[in-house]
Amino acid sequence: MTIAPDQTLMFAEAAEASVAVARQAVVQAEARAALVAALRRYSPRAVATLARGSSDNAATVARYLIETHLQLLTSSVAPSVASVYDAAPDYDGVLMLAISQSGRSPDLIAAAEAAKERGARLVSLINDDTAPLAKMADTYLPLAAGPERSVAATKTFIASVAALLHLIADWSADEALIAALAELPAQLDRACRLDWTAALEPLRSAPNLYVVARGPAFGIAQEMALKIKETCGFHAEAFSAAEVRHGPMAIVEQGFHVLLLGQDDESRDSVADLAPQFAARGAVVLHAGIGDAPGIRLPALDAHPVVQPLLLVQSFYRLANALAVARGRDPDRPPFLAKVTETV
């Protein structure tokens, strides 16, 4: 039996992202305000992020913004340092941001425990109030996305990024970003309705895809590549617009598929400049957020440049869902995957 694209859990749950983000802003407000006040007193020397999968992609978005908005060195933690090797660096004066849908993965819990023992201040962004990773936090910021039953995370990813954006905007006192985030639920609703079906036929039989971006959009590119692998069953890989010009460009030839993502900041031109280079090699070029360029232009909304990449992934989720169905797959139940991955 073939499932209709608009009947999947992935379709329905992605569409709930705007409501989840609006709810989250209210639910988190008091805890986030107290945390920001504490962070200004605490003045951490660095930030560590702790996450896996889609949550780690959200952390990549945050890393760029923490380093540009707050000028704080930010690094992703390898959970296996604690869970496998029973070790931990000195976390004195470090803020750890633990991001997880379930908050129950043993390796994340072990890494968070080790970090706290070594001096870290732990802030957990979790979608389950009862999770161990939520309960052990110095500050818990609920994602408030509501239950997500599809294996492919959609609204929880968007909620994770939204929570991080709110924290960074408030902490850095970026009034323009704070104002933009007030409009985020309405913009997510609009982005969900944008038509990306022009990409459906080019990708229906594609064996591979590069998703290329730069700056905060790179974490979004990672998320898109992950979702293509999870739901559509073919190889996809994310690259920075700077890195793809080196070794990865060597395998791009006739019929290779590329998706370019941009936002209206200093990185936009470096992404846009790649479109004619890929096209000259015979690649099938798809792009969003870079204006007029060779290839298939996918619609994108005008917004604050920090918000734009998040709107792109909201539009993309509907495409990924439809593409999975078109390729004969069930996006809600990818083979060999489970909703909660309990790695050690």
Side-chain angles (χ1 to χ4, degrees):
M1 181 179 68
T2 303
I3 189 171
D6 62 355
Q7 297 299 311
T8 67
L9 290 172
M10 183 179 178
F11 181 94
E13 289 170 351
E16 294 170 3
S18 60
V19 174
V21 168
R23 178 172 58 242
Q24 178 195 93
V26 176
V27 171
Q28 280 193 1
E30 185 175 343
R32 188 172 65 245
L35 173 61
V36 167
L39 289 175
R40 288 175 179 162
R41 295 191 304 269
Y42 175 58
S43 189
R45 63 181 175 91
V47 177
T49 63
L50 176 63
R52 286 203 186 277
S54 287
S55 298
D56 198 36
N57 297 336
T60 299
V61 177
R63 174 169 60 85
Y64 280 95
L65 297 175
I66 293 169
E67 293 191 344
T68 56
H69 283 61
L70 293 156
Q71 290 78 54
L72 280 173
L73 178 65
T74 304
S75 180
S76 175
V77 170
S80 61
V81 169
S83 65
V84 175
Y85 296 103
D86 193 24
D90 179 6
Y91 282 103
D92 185 47
V94 173
L95 172 68
M96 173 171 276
L97 298 175
I99 311 156
S100 174
Q101 296 170 49
S102 71
R104 298 180 183 279
S105 187
D107 59 344
L108 298 185
I109 293 169
E113 288 175 339
K116 287 194 70 175
E117 289 172 1
R118 296 280 283 159
R121 183 186 187 100
L122 178 64
V123 174
S124 292
L125 298 91
I126 313 294
N127 198 40
D128 181 352
D129 296 348
T130 68
L133 203 52
K135 291 183 176 297
M136 67 189 292
D138 296 301
T139 300
Y140 168 50
L141 297 178
L143 295 181
E148 188 173 60
R149 293 180 292 160
S150 176
V151 169
T154 53
K155 65 177 179 176
T156 53
F157 174 79
I158 290 174
S160 298
V161 176
L164 291 162
L165 295 187
H166 274 289
L167 175 59
I168 294 163
D170 290 354
W171 188 3
S172 63
D174 185 330
E175 296 298 332
L177 181 53
I178 291 169
L181 290 173
E183 302 299 320
L184 180 56
Q187 288 186 309
L188 284 168
D189 192 52
R190 290 175 58 203
C192 191
R193 296 196 298 269
L194 290 184
D195 185 3
W196 277 33
T197 55
L200 187 60
E201 284 306 314
L203 294 176
R204 184 188 292 267
S205 58
N208 46 52
L209 176 70
Y210 278 176
V211 189
V212 180
R214 204 167 188 185
F218 179 56
I220 301 300
Q222 291 177 317
E223 170 65 7
M224 290 184 180
L226 176 62
K227 284 297 176 290
I228 288 292
K229 287 180 280 196
E230 283 181 341
T231 65
C232 301
F234 67 97
H235 178 255
E237 195 167 0
F239 283 104
S240 156
E243 292 296 333
V244 79
R245 298 170 188 270
H246 301 289
M249 185 69 86
I251 66 170
V252 176
E253 54 187 19
Q254 189 72 33
F256 201 97
H257 295 73
V258 179
L259 172 58
L260 303 176
L261 309 174
Q263 67 261 322
D264 293 329
D265 66 10
E266 298 87 340
S267 71
R268 182 177 179 273
D269 288 348
S270 66
V271 180
D273 289 348
L274 285 168
Q277 295 181 41
F278 280 121
R281 289 172 169 263
V284 178
V285 179
L286 309 160
H287 59 85
I290 62 171
D292 292 327
I296 298 171
R297 181 176 179 175
L298 303 172
L301 298 176
D302 290 329
H304 189 291
V306 168
V307 172
Q308 283 175 323
L310 190 56
L311 301 179
L312 292 180
V313 80
Q314 175 71 307
S315 302
F316 165 83
Y317 281 145
R318 187 157 288 185
L319 167 65
N321 175 76
L323 181 60
V325 173
R327 291 173 69 105
R329 301 173 70 90
D330 182 351
D332 296 332
R333 300 170 184 84
F336 313 115
L337 295 178
K339 186 62 180 171
V340 179
T341 304
E342 295 191 350
T343 47
V344 176

